[in-house]
Amino acid sequence: FSIADSLKLSQIEALVQEGKIDEKIVSVEDMFSSYPAFSAQPHFDKMLQNGNPIPCKEKSLGERVRMYTSSGIFVGIYEWNTEVPHLNSGIRSAVTLGKFDGFHRGHQKLVECIKQKSGENCRTIIFTFDLSCKAYQKKCVPKLLLTYEEKREIAEALHADILAECPFTEELMNMEPEAFVKEYLVDRLHAEYLAIGSDFHFGHNRSGTPQLLFELGKKYGFTVEIIEKEKDGEREISSTYIREELAQGRMEKVQKLL
């Protein structure tokens, strides 16, 4: 449709009075009928309704669909898209990688490290994934502390330049560590510095380790800094720890960990 198909307010009021307004109303679904329909699997309904991205093997990145829950409720227009940008030539980046669910004190420590490398031609990038490997393999709804939008808002509040949330796909799960580094960190993000936690693993079968990143850094021209975990007493601060405290209703402790 075009602007010529629209109605003035006076015309709408007249149609209401005549009882003919229903003849002119077009549903949101019908407006986007040119997009194919797609129904989510039941275990992804909650993620959709909370505004979180979901994985899909059948669809191509960049394709738009009319998204429905498994029970047929229209959610909106959904686009599978990579959130990992290609930086322009000459722009470098300082990157931290991890789950970043909750943006707790340990996560904030990583972000502070990359912010120290920020400059006119260096972007600070938080690199994370839309799903964990476990959630993807089990096709279950992950227990997340933050929605996608909340995560993005916190990243902005921490003054990171980019939140890159990479779609977790079958291809990514089976990607060898060096191929991941080359595709995402080198070719897309032009990384010159990485800040990672001491337990960070990546790539096929979690075979990528901090030590391997050190070796690949020599090959591709980036440096790696391993950041020790923040602790609460003797226990390492983690999203799992925070979820446990939330389940027990210990909000003061949760605030301390965050």
Side-chain angles (χ1 to χ4, degrees), residues 47-106:
M47 291 181 68
L48 270 178
Q49 291 164 352
N50 285 339
N52 287 307
I54 64 170
C56 180
K57 296 180 184 178
E58 297 85 2
K59 297 295 175 182
S60 301
L61 293 177
E63 181 176 354
R64 292 180 179 179
V65 299
R66 282 177 292 135
M67 180 63 75
Y68 295 83
T69 64
S70 61
S71 58
I73 298 173
F74 178 64
V75 178
I77 302 303
Y78 194 94
E79 179 177 348
W80 277 277
N81 198 6
T82 175
E83 294 291 337
V84 183
H86 284 87
L87 296 186
N88 293 332
S89 177
I91 301 298
R92 307 291 290 173
S93 68
V95 185
T96 182
L97 302 96
K99 294 179 182 177
F100 294 96
D101 185 28
F103 272 104
H104 55 64
R105 282 163 42 196

Coordinates of all heavy atoms in Angstrom, one line a residue, residues 47-106:
M47 N 11.5 -17.0 25.1 CA 12.6 -16.2 24.6 C 12.0 -15.1 23.7 O 12.4 -13.9 23.8 CB 13.6 -17.0 23.9 CG 14.4 -17.9 24.9 SD 15.7 -18.8 24.0 CE 16.8 -17.5 23.5
L48 N 11.1 -15.5 22.8 CA 10.5 -14.6 21.8 C 9.7 -13.5 22.6 O 9.9 -12.3 22.3 CB 9.6 -15.3 20.9 CG 10.2 -15.9 19.6 CD1 9.1 -16.6 18.8 CD2 10.8 -14.8 18.8
Q49 N 8.9 -13.9 23.5 CA 8.0 -13.0 24.2 C 8.8 -12.0 25.1 O 8.4 -10.9 25.4 CB 7.0 -13.8 25.0 CG 6.0 -14.5 24.2 CD 5.2 -15.6 24.9 OE1 5.5 -15.9 26.0 NE2 4.2 -16.2 24.2
N50 N 10.0 -12.4 25.5 CA 10.9 -11.5 26.3 C 11.8 -10.7 25.4 O 12.6 -9.9 25.9 CB 11.8 -12.3 27.2 CG 11.0 -12.9 28.4 OD1 9.9 -12.4 28.7 ND2 11.5 -13.9 29.0
G51 N 11.6 -10.8 24.1 CA 12.4 -9.9 23.2 C 13.8 -10.5 22.9 O 14.7 -9.7 22.4
N52 N 14.1 -11.7 23.2 CA 15.4 -12.3 22.9 C 15.5 -13.0 21.5 O 14.5 -13.5 21.1 CB 15.8 -13.3 24.0 CG 16.1 -12.7 25.3 OD1 16.9 -11.8 25.4 ND2 15.4 -13.1 26.4
P53 N 16.6 -12.9 20.9 CA 16.8 -13.6 19.6 C 16.7 -15.2 19.8 O 17.1 -15.6 20.9 CB 18.1 -13.2 19.1 CG 18.9 -12.8 20.3 CD 17.9 -12.3 21.3
I54 N 16.3 -15.9 18.8 CA 16.3 -17.3 18.9 C 17.1 -17.9 17.7 O 17.2 -17.3 16.6 CB 14.9 -17.9 18.8 CG1 14.2 -17.6 17.5 CG2 14.1 -17.4 20.0 CD1 12.9 -18.3 17.3
P55 N 17.7 -19.1 17.8 CA 18.4 -19.7 16.7 C 17.5 -20.4 15.8 O 16.4 -20.7 16.1 CB 19.3 -20.7 17.5 CG 18.5 -21.2 18.6 CD 17.7 -19.9 19.0
C56 N 18.0 -20.6 14.6 CA 17.2 -21.4 13.6 C 18.1 -21.9 12.5 O 18.9 -21.2 11.9 CB 16.2 -20.4 12.9 SG 15.2 -21.3 11.7
K57 N 18.1 -23.2 12.3 CA 18.9 -23.9 11.3 C 18.4 -23.6 9.9 O 19.1 -23.6 8.9 CB 19.0 -25.4 11.6 CG 19.7 -25.8 12.9 CD 19.7 -27.3 13.0 CE 20.2 -27.7 14.4 NZ 20.2 -29.2 14.5
E58 N 17.1 -23.6 9.8 CA 16.5 -23.6 8.5 C 16.5 -22.2 7.8 O 16.4 -22.1 6.5 CB 15.0 -24.0 8.6 CG 14.7 -25.4 9.1 CD 14.7 -25.5 10.6 OE1 14.9 -24.4 11.2 OE2 14.6 -26.6 11.1
K59 N 16.7 -21.1 8.5 CA 16.6 -19.8 7.9 C 18.0 -19.2 7.7 O 19.0 -19.5 8.4 CB 15.8 -18.9 8.8 CG 14.4 -19.3 8.9 CD 13.6 -19.2 7.6 CE 12.2 -19.8 7.7 NZ 11.5 -19.8 6.4
S60 N 18.1 -18.4 6.7 CA 19.4 -17.7 6.4 C 19.5 -16.4 7.1 O 18.5 -15.7 7.3 CB 19.5 -17.4 4.9 OG 19.4 -18.6 4.1
L61 N 20.7 -16.0 7.5 CA 20.9 -14.7 8.2 C 20.4 -13.6 7.2 O 20.7 -13.6 6.0 CB 22.3 -14.5 8.5 CG 22.9 -15.5 9.6 CD1 24.4 -15.3 9.8 CD2 22.1 -15.3 10.9
G62 N 19.7 -12.7 7.8 CA 19.2 -11.6 6.9 C 17.8 -11.8 6.4 O 17.2 -10.8 5.9
E63 N 17.3 -13.0 6.6 CA 15.9 -13.2 6.0 C 14.9 -12.8 7.0 O 15.0 -13.0 8.2 CB 15.7 -14.7 5.8 CG 14.4 -15.1 5.2 CD 14.2 -16.6 4.9 OE1 15.2 -17.3 5.0 OE2 13.1 -17.0 4.5
R64 N 13.8 -12.1 6.5 CA 12.7 -11.6 7.4 C 11.5 -12.6 7.3 O 11.2 -13.0 6.2 CB 12.3 -10.2 7.0 CG 13.4 -9.2 7.3 CD 13.0 -7.8 6.9 NE 14.0 -6.8 7.2 CZ 13.8 -5.5 6.9 NH1 12.7 -5.1 6.3 NH2 14.8 -4.7 7.3
V65 N 10.9 -12.8 8.4 CA 9.7 -13.6 8.4 C 8.6 -13.0 9.4 O 8.9 -12.2 10.2 CB 10.0 -15.1 8.9 CG1 11.0 -15.7 8.0 CG2 10.5 -15.0 10.4
R66 N 7.4 -13.5 9.2 CA 6.3 -13.2 10.2 C 6.5 -14.2 11.2 O 6.2 -15.4 11.0 CB 5.0 -13.2 9.5 CG 4.6 -12.0 8.7 CD 3.2 -12.2 8.0 NE 3.3 -13.2 7.0 CZ 2.4 -14.2 6.8 NH1 1.3 -14.3 7.6 NH2 2.5 -15.1 5.8
M67 N 6.8 -13.8 12.4 CA 7.1 -14.8 13.5 C 5.9 -15.0 14.4 O 5.2 -14.1 14.8 CB 8.3 -14.2 14.4 CG 8.7 -15.2 15.5 SD 9.3 -16.8 15.0 CE 10.9 -16.3 14.5
Y68 N 5.7 -16.3 14.6 CA 4.5 -16.7 15.5 C 5.1 -17.6 16.6 O 6.1 -18.3 16.4 CB 3.5 -17.5 14.7 CG 2.8 -16.7 13.7 CD1 3.3 -16.5 12.4 CD2 1.5 -16.2 13.9 CE1 2.7 -15.8 11.4 CE2 0.9 -15.4 12.9 CZ 1.4 -15.3 11.7 OH 0.8 -14.5 10.7
T69 N 4.5 -17.6 17.8 CA 4.8 -18.5 18.8 C 4.3 -19.9 18.4 O 3.6 -20.0 17.4 CB 4.1 -18.2 20.2 OG1 2.7 -18.2 20.0 CG2 4.5 -16.8 20.6
S70 N 4.6 -20.9 19.1 CA 4.2 -22.3 18.8 C 2.7 -22.4 18.8 O 2.1 -23.3 18.2 CB 4.9 -23.3 19.7 OG 4.5 -23.1 21.1
S71 N 2.0 -21.6 19.6 CA 0.5 -21.6 19.7 C -0.2 -20.7 18.7 O -1.4 -20.6 18.8 CB 0.1 -21.3 21.1 OG 0.6 -20.0 21.5
G72 N 0.6 -20.1 17.8 CA 0.0 -19.3 16.7 C -0.2 -17.8 17.0 O -0.8 -17.1 16.3
I73 N 0.4 -17.3 18.1 CA 0.3 -15.9 18.4 C 1.3 -15.1 17.6 O 2.5 -15.4 17.6 CB 0.5 -15.7 19.9 CG1 -0.5 -16.4 20.7 CG2 0.5 -14.2 20.2 CD1 -0.3 -16.3 22.2
F74 N 0.9 -14.1 16.9 CA 1.8 -13.3 16.1 C 2.6 -12.4 16.9 O 2.1 -11.7 17.8 CB 0.9 -12.4 15.1 CG 1.7 -11.5 14.2 CD1 2.6 -12.0 13.3 CD2 1.6 -10.1 14.4 CE1 3.4 -11.2 12.5 CE2 2.4 -9.3 13.6 CZ 3.2 -9.8 12.6
V75 N 4.0 -12.5 16.8 CA 4.9 -11.7 17.6 C 5.4 -10.5 16.8 O 5.5 -9.4 17.4 CB 6.1 -12.6 17.9 CG1 7.2 -11.8 18.7 CG2 5.7 -13.8 18.7
G76 N 5.6 -10.6 15.5 CA 6.1 -9.4 14.8 C 7.0 -9.9 13.6 O 7.0 -11.1 13.3
I77 N 7.6 -8.9 13.0 CA 8.5 -9.3 11.9 C 9.9 -9.5 12.5 O 10.4 -8.7 13.3 CB 8.6 -8.1 10.9 CG1 7.2 -7.8 10.4 CG2 9.6 -8.4 9.8 CD1 6.6 -9.0 9.7
Y78 N 10.5 -10.6 12.2 CA 11.7 -11.1 12.8 C 12.8 -11.3 11.7 O 12.5 -11.7 10.6 CB 11.5 -12.5 13.5 CG 12.6 -12.9 14.4 CD1 12.5 -12.7 15.8 CD2 13.7 -13.6 13.9 CE1 13.5 -13.1 16.6 CE2 14.7 -14.1 14.8 CZ 14.6 -13.8 16.1 OH 15.6 -14.2 16.9
E79 N 14.0 -10.8 12.0 CA 15.0 -11.0 11.0 C 16.2 -11.7 11.7 O 16.7 -11.2 12.7 CB 15.5 -9.6 10.5 CG 16.6 -9.6 9.5 CD 17.0 -8.3 9.0 OE1 16.2 -7.3 9.2 OE2 18.1 -8.2 8.3
W80 N 16.7 -12.8 11.0 CA 17.9 -13.4 11.5 C 19.1 -12.6 10.9 O 19.2 -12.5 9.7 CB 17.9 -14.9 11.0 CG 17.2 -15.8 11.9 CD1 17.6 -16.3 13.1 CD2 15.8 -16.2 11.7 NE1 16.6 -17.1 13.6 CE2 15.5 -17.1 12.8 CE3 14.9 -16.0 10.8 CZ2 14.3 -17.7 13.0 CZ3 13.6 -16.6 10.9 CH2 13.3 -17.4 12.0
N81 N 19.8 -12.1 11.8 CA 20.9 -11.2 11.3 C 22.1 -11.4 12.2 O 22.0 -11.6 13.4 CB 20.5 -9.8 11.4 CG 21.3 -8.9 10.5 OD1 22.2 -9.4 9.8 ND2 21.1 -7.6 10.6
T82 N 23.3 -11.3 11.7 CA 24.5 -11.4 12.5 C 24.7 -10.0 13.1 O 24.6 -9.0 12.5 CB 25.7 -11.7 11.6 OG1 26.9 -11.7 12.4 CG2 25.9 -10.8 10.4
E83 N 25.0 -10.1 14.4 CA 25.3 -8.9 15.2 C 26.8 -8.6 15.3 O 27.2 -7.8 16.1 CB 24.7 -9.0 16.6 CG 23.2 -9.0 16.6 CD 22.5 -7.7 16.2 OE1 23.2 -6.7 16.3 OE2 21.4 -7.8 15.7
V84 N 27.6 -9.3 14.5 CA 29.0 -9.1 14.5 C 29.4 -8.3 13.2 O 29.3 -8.8 12.1 CB 29.8 -10.4 14.5 CG1 31.3 -10.2 14.6 CG2 29.3 -11.3 15.6
P85 N 29.7 -7.0 13.4 CA 30.0 -6.1 12.3 C 31.3 -6.4 11.6 O 32.2 -7.0 12.1 CB 29.9 -4.7 12.9 CG 30.5 -5.0 14.3 CD 30.0 -6.3 14.7
H86 N 31.4 -5.8 10.4 CA 32.7 -5.7 9.7 C 33.2 -4.3 9.9 O 32.5 -3.4 9.3 CB 32.5 -6.0 8.2 CG 32.3 -7.5 7.8 ND1 31.1 -8.1 7.8 CD2 33.3 -8.4 7.5 CE1 31.3 -9.4 7.5 NE2 32.6 -9.6 7.3
L87 N 34.2 -4.1 10.6 CA 34.7 -2.7 10.8 C 35.4 -2.2 9.5 O 35.9 -3.0 8.7 CB 35.7 -2.7 12.0 CG 35.2 -3.1 13.4 CD1 36.3 -2.9 14.4 CD2 34.0 -2.3 13.7
N88 N 35.3 -0.9 9.4 CA 35.9 -0.3 8.2 C 37.4 -0.5 8.2 O 38.1 -0.6 9.3 CB 35.6 1.2 8.1 CG 34.1 1.4 7.9 OD1 33.4 0.6 7.2 ND2 33.6 2.5 8.3
S89 N 38.0 -0.4 7.1 CA 39.5 -0.5 7.0 C 40.2 0.6 7.8 O 39.7 1.8 7.7 CB 39.9 -0.4 5.5 OG 41.3 -0.4 5.4
G90 N 41.2 0.3 8.5 CA 41.9 1.3 9.3 C 41.4 1.4 10.7 O 42.0 2.0 11.6
I91 N 40.2 0.8 11.0 CA 39.7 0.8 12.4 C 40.0 -0.5 13.1 O 39.8 -1.6 12.5 CB 38.1 0.9 12.4 CG1 37.7 2.2 11.7 CG2 37.6 0.9 13.8 CD1 38.2 3.5 12.4
R92 N 40.6 -0.4 14.2 CA 41.0 -1.6 15.0 C 40.1 -1.7 16.2 O 39.1 -0.9 16.4 CB 42.5 -1.4 15.5 CG 43.5 -1.1 14.5 CD 43.7 -2.3 13.5 NE 44.4 -3.4 14.2 CZ 44.6 -4.6 13.7 NH1 44.2 -4.9 12.5 NH2 45.3 -5.5 14.4
S93 N 40.2 -2.8 17.0 CA 39.3 -3.0 18.1 C 40.0 -3.6 19.3 O 41.0 -4.4 19.2 CB 38.1 -3.8 17.7 OG 38.5 -5.2 17.5
A94 N 39.5 -3.3 20.5 CA 39.8 -4.0 21.7 C 38.6 -4.8 22.1 O 37.5 -4.3 22.3 CB 40.2 -3.0 22.8
V95 N 38.7 -6.1 22.3 CA 37.6 -7.0 22.4 C 37.7 -7.8 23.7 O 38.7 -8.3 24.1 CB 37.5 -8.0 21.2 CG1 36.2 -8.9 21.3 CG2 37.6 -7.3 19.9
T96 N 36.5 -8.0 24.3 CA 36.4 -8.9 25.4 C 35.3 -9.9 25.1 O 34.3 -9.6 24.5 CB 36.1 -8.3 26.8 OG1 36.0 -9.3 27.8 CG2 34.8 -7.5 26.8
L97 N 35.5 -11.2 25.4 CA 34.6 -12.3 25.0 C 34.1 -13.0 26.2 O 34.8 -13.3 27.1 CB 35.3 -13.3 24.0 CG 35.9 -12.7 22.7 CD1 37.4 -12.4 22.9 CD2 35.8 -13.7 21.6
G98 N 32.8 -13.4 26.1 CA 32.2 -14.2 27.2 C 30.7 -14.2 27.1 O 30.1 -13.7 26.1
K99 N 30.0 -14.7 28.1 CA 28.6 -14.8 28.1 C 27.9 -13.4 28.5 O 26.9 -13.1 28.0 CB 28.1 -15.9 29.1 CG 28.5 -17.3 28.7 CD 28.1 -18.3 29.7 CE 28.5 -19.7 29.3 NZ 28.2 -20.7 30.3
F100 N 28.5 -12.8 29.5 CA 28.0 -11.4 29.9 C 26.5 -11.4 30.3 O 25.8 -10.5 30.0 CB 28.3 -10.4 28.8 CG 29.8 -10.1 28.6 CD1 30.5 -10.8 27.6 CD2 30.5 -9.3 29.5 CE1 31.8 -10.6 27.4 CE2 31.8 -9.1 29.3 CZ 32.5 -9.8 28.3
D101 N 26.1 -12.5 30.9 CA 24.7 -12.5 31.4 C 24.7 -12.0 32.8 O 25.3 -12.6 33.8 CB 24.2 -14.0 31.4 CG 22.7 -14.0 31.8 OD1 22.0 -13.0 31.6 OD2 22.3 -15.0 32.4
G102 N 24.2 -10.8 33.0 CA 24.1 -10.2 34.3 C 25.1 -9.0 34.4 O 24.9 -8.1 35.2
F103 N 26.1 -9.0 33.6 CA 27.2 -7.9 33.7 C 27.6 -7.7 35.1 O 27.5 -6.6 35.6 CB 26.7 -6.6 33.1 CG 26.9 -6.5 31.6 CD1 25.9 -6.7 30.7 CD2 28.2 -6.3 31.1 CE1 26.1 -6.6 29.3 CE2 28.4 -6.2 29.7 CZ 27.4 -6.4 28.8
H104 N 28.0 -8.8 35.8 CA 28.4 -8.7 37.2 C 29.8 -8.1 37.3 O 30.4 -7.7 36.3 CB 28.3 -10.1 37.8 CG 29.1 -11.2 37.1 ND1 30.5 -11.1 36.9 CD2 28.7 -12.3 36.5 CE1 30.9 -12.2 36.3 NE2 29.8 -12.9 36.0
R105 N 30.3 -8.1 38.5 CA 31.6 -7.4 38.7 C 32.8 -8.0 37.9 O 33.6 -7.2 37.4 CB 32.0 -7.5 40.2 CG 31.2 -6.5 41.1 CD 31.2 -6.9 42.5 NE 32.5 -7.3 43.0 CZ 32.7 -8.0 44.2 NH1 31.6 -8.2 44.9 NH2 33.9 -8.3 44.5
G106 N 32.7 -9.3 37.7 CA 33.8 -9.9 36.8 C 33.7 -9.4 35.4 O 34.7 -9.1 34.8

